[in-house]
Amino acid sequence: MDVTLHLAQDPEADELLGRSPLAALTGMLLDQQVPMEWAFKGPRTIADRLGSSDLDAHEIAAQDPEAFAALLSEKPAVHRYPGSMAKRIQQLCQYLVEHYDGDAEAVWKGVGEGRELLKRLEELPGFGKQKAQIFLALLGKQLGVRPEGWREAAGAYGEPKSFRSVADITGPESLTKVRAHKQEMKAAAKAAKTGRTGKQ
């Protein structure tokens, strides 16, 4: 894995995401309830604070939970909820150590079928179906991991030339399009909710 991603909109953070499977997974894990760039900058911040050029699943899994939470809480915090996210990252790393000998890339390396890869991603701590589908789309669209049927397994996120998620962001222009799509979805969900409560 050695590609140029543009998810953090920060050259150093994006460089790490493009070469480190664990950094990419961690960024995806952090991508909730905060702006996307903030989430994907997180892996680089964590690596820097650990005094390393990459993330190591064995090292993170073995960290003292309180010390690791404190590391994520230092200003600027890695996430809006650094304590709970520190716990999730450790759970993810512990799972990778237990099931994949700490090698994040082994989650998708050599998997020949899209549905099988989706299943593996959904089994990761902190990855629900939607997050797993978005990451599968990111693997296929930008990281060259394209098992048979990957687009179908990724659902709408796998559609070519769509601007639904981080999988479609290749620079500032596409970031704007994805933002606009997310705002439309939020507005539609809000309208649907208002419509339902209005009928009662």
Side-chain angles (χ1 to χ4, degrees):
M1 215 172 106
D2 195 6
V3 295
T4 304
L5 292 176
H6 300 278
L7 305 179
Q9 305 287 303
D10 171 286
E12 288 186 358
D14 281 327
E15 185 274 330
L16 177 61
L17 294 169
R19 70 175 159 85
S20 166
L22 180 55
L25 270 182
T26 302
M28 191 74 234
L29 183 68
L30 289 166
D31 187 23
Q32 56 191 60
Q33 298 172 304
V34 292
M36 185 201 75
E37 304 94 307
W38 184 4
F40 282 95
K41 209 172 180 175
R44 180 69 202 217
T45 306
I46 296 167
D48 287 347
R49 288 177 187 174
L50 288 169
S52 175
S53 63
D54 196 357
L55 298 180
D56 181 301
H58 290 277
E59 185 190 357
I60 292 171
Q63 288 276 324
D64 172 75
E66 282 184 22
F68 191 62
L71 186 95
L72 268 71
S73 302
E74 279 175 35
K75 293 205 172 358
V78 168
H79 195 273
R80 184 178 291 159
Y81 304 108
S84 62
M85 279 304 175
K87 196 172 171 181
R88 284 190 179 187
I89 292 168
Q90 282 198 292
Q91 285 168 343
L92 173 65
C93 289
Q94 283 154 2
Y95 183 90
L96 291 172
V97 167
E98 202 177 312
H99 296 268
Y100 296 101
D101 195 27
D103 179 7
E105 194 174 14
V107 175
W108 55 83
K109 203 170 185 179
V111 179
E113 221 270 321
R115 277 180 309 188
E116 170 60 23
L117 179 48
L118 180 65
K119 184 172 163 282
R120 283 180 171 216
L121 291 167
E122 284 185 77
E123 285 167 357
L124 297 173
F127 278 68
K129 184 170 186 182
Q130 186 185 34
K131 201 178 274 286
Q133 284 188 314
I134 291 171
F135 194 77
L136 175 54
L138 178 66
L139 286 171
K141 288 179 176 183
Q142 297 200 48
L143 298 171
V145 178
R146 301 183 180 110
E148 197 178 326
W150 71 270
R151 283 193 190 274
E152 293 75 7
Y157 300 108
E159 290 172 9
K161 296 187 173 67
S162 65
F163 294 96
R164 294 175 189 276
S165 73
V166 298
D168 304 301
I169 293 169
T170 53
E173 194 184 325
S174 47
L175 171 64
T176 306
K177 288 181 182 176
V178 170
R179 278 242 161 81
H181 174 77
K182 285 188 170 182
Q183 280 163 350
E184 278 171 35
M185 297 309 285
K186 269 187 188 163
K190 200 174 175 185
K193 202 174 172 184
T194 313
R196 279 202 303 273
T197 48
K199 283 174 195 165
Q200 286 169 353

